[in-house]
Amino acid sequence: TGAHAEVEFKNVTFRYAGAEKAAVEDISFLAKPGETTAIIGSTGAGKTSLVQLIPRFYDIESGSILVNGIDIREMKQHTLREKIGYVPQKASLFSGTIAENVRFGAKDATDQEVMDALQTAQAIDFVNEKEDGINTYIEQAGSNLSGGQKQRLAIARALVRKPEIYIFDDSFSALDYKTDAKLRSALKEETGNSTIILVAQRVNTVMDADRIIVLNEGKLAGIGTHEELLKDNTIYQEIVES
Ligand code: DGT
Ligand code: MG
């Protein structure tokens, strides 16, 4: 029920202009609505490059990316991007209040919707501790906030839009394990039939995902659940042991 968006990669290869090596090479997978698809791999593996292809920040060299069966090259950019709540790896806040920063995702959001997004993002407690709550002023680039607090505000900014597709690029890396787990379980509960694509470097963050994509030097090194990959994927085993 409700709007949903299946994301499918079919033999996708992408190369940065002038680069010798493809950053993403022959990748195929299906990310289903109501499920979490995680992408794991070491630094430089191509995780950010891969997820940036979904909102079409770059065009692919070969293959296709489909949203609900439609090639994204055939969709209006506005129609495509409206479906996506993208939290970039280096999410940036601007000088303004917490509410203004969250509302950057959806200008018409009510205070209650902002509060709900902060609640799901596990940010409500630290926001409420501030004297001015959601009207607390954020200094330039969030210099009066911790890395984990900034990440959670960036996540709230995506949540307030209620998109069909969420992309979290390493958005949990500055959170302690407990907050990371609470946030992922709240996301599961509150995002309904949305498609969640979650990039991470640590195994704890991807363990409960419905499927995990293991990237290595731009290539698909494996795809499966935590248990499946633990059994027979050497790259995944190396990540677990690191
Ligand atoms: P991370 O964030 O450090 O965990 O690494 P990933 O997995 O997000 O890797 P990614 O996608 O940033 O980089 C994959 C490869 O592409 C790596 O060899 C660096 C290269 N690359 C990344 N961004 C650019 C870019 O803007 N231009 C060019 N020419 N190459 C890039
Ligand atoms: Mg990255």
Side-chain angles (χ1 to χ4, degrees):
T1 58
H4 58 86
E6 185 178 88
V7 178
E8 183 168 20
F9 273 53
K10 278 184 167 172
N11 304 103
V12 171
T13 295
F14 161 69
R15 189 183 314 268
Y16 288 101
E20 217 170 278
K21 206 175 153 292
V24 173
E25 201 174 331
D26 196 25
I27 300 291
S28 301
F29 68 89
L30 182 63
K32 294 182 190 167
E35 296 191 355
T36 298
T37 298
I39 302 171
I40 197 166
S42 56
T43 185
K47 305 180 297 296
T48 296
S49 304
L50 186 157
V51 297
Q52 287 189 339
L53 300 175
I54 303 167
R56 228 184 134 190
F57 292 159
Y58 299 97
D59 273 322
I60 60 178
E61 181 175 292
S62 57
S64 52
I65 300 171
L66 310 173
V67 170
N68 284 337
I70 300 168
D71 192 314
I72 60 171
R73 287 169 293 203
E74 280 156 26
M75 295 171 72
K76 287 211 173 78
Q77 190 179 81
H78 165 82
T79 310
L80 173 66
R81 293 198 181 163
E82 208 177 47
K83 293 180 188 297
I84 301 173
Y86 169 57
V87 183
Q89 190 164 9
K90 289 197 186 78
S92 51
L93 301 172
F94 54 82
S95 302
T97 66
I98 288 174
E100 284 164 354
N101 266 276
V102 172
R103 236 181 231 116
F104 182 68
K107 287 183 179 51
D108 302 332
T110 63
D111 279 0
Q112 189 56 51
E113 286 170 327
V114 169
M115 300 286 273
D116 290 346
L118 289 167
Q119 174 90 48
T120 304
Q122 307 301 307
I124 200 75
D125 289 346
F126 81 77
V127 171
N128 281 339
E129 273 169 24
K130 308 237 182 228
E131 202 179 331
D132 295 323
I134 61 170
N135 298 316
T136 301
Y137 195 79
I138 296 176
E139 309 287 342
Q140 192 73 45
S143 57
N144 56 337
L145 296 169
S146 75
Q149 289 174 335
K150 283 188 270 191
Q151 283 189 330
R152 283 174 280 170
L153 294 183
I155 291 167
R157 181 186 272 175
L159 281 163
V160 81
R161 300 183 52 211
K162 302 185 174 74
E164 292 162 47
I165 302 163
Y166 286 93
I167 301 173
F168 298 111
D169 190 351
D170 227 0
S171 309
F172 310 83
S173 59
L175 305 179
D176 59 65
Y177 285 98
K178 206 173 134 194
T179 308
D180 177 350
K182 275 171 77 177
L183 177 41
R184 281 180 292 105
S185 110
L187 280 175
K188 214 175 176 71
E189 240 161 77
E190 302 299 330
T191 58
N193 217 14
S194 295
T195 302
I196 298 179
I197 298 175
L198 183 164
V199 168
Q201 279 203 43
R202 64 186 190 207
V203 169
N204 266 66
T205 307
V206 305
M207 271 176 71
D208 315 326
D210 296 287
R211 74 190 56 75
I212 303 165
I213 291 163
V214 186
L215 270 192
N216 186 44
E217 295 183 16
K219 297 191 190 79
L220 190 72
I223 184 163
T225 62
H226 173 73
E227 284 72 26
E228 288 164 357
L229 293 167
L230 208 52
K231 225 184 285 168
D232 63 11
N233 190 282
T234 50
I235 306 263
Y236 191 73
Q237 289 160 357
E238 277 167 25
I239 297 169
V240 171
E241 282 155 21
S242 66

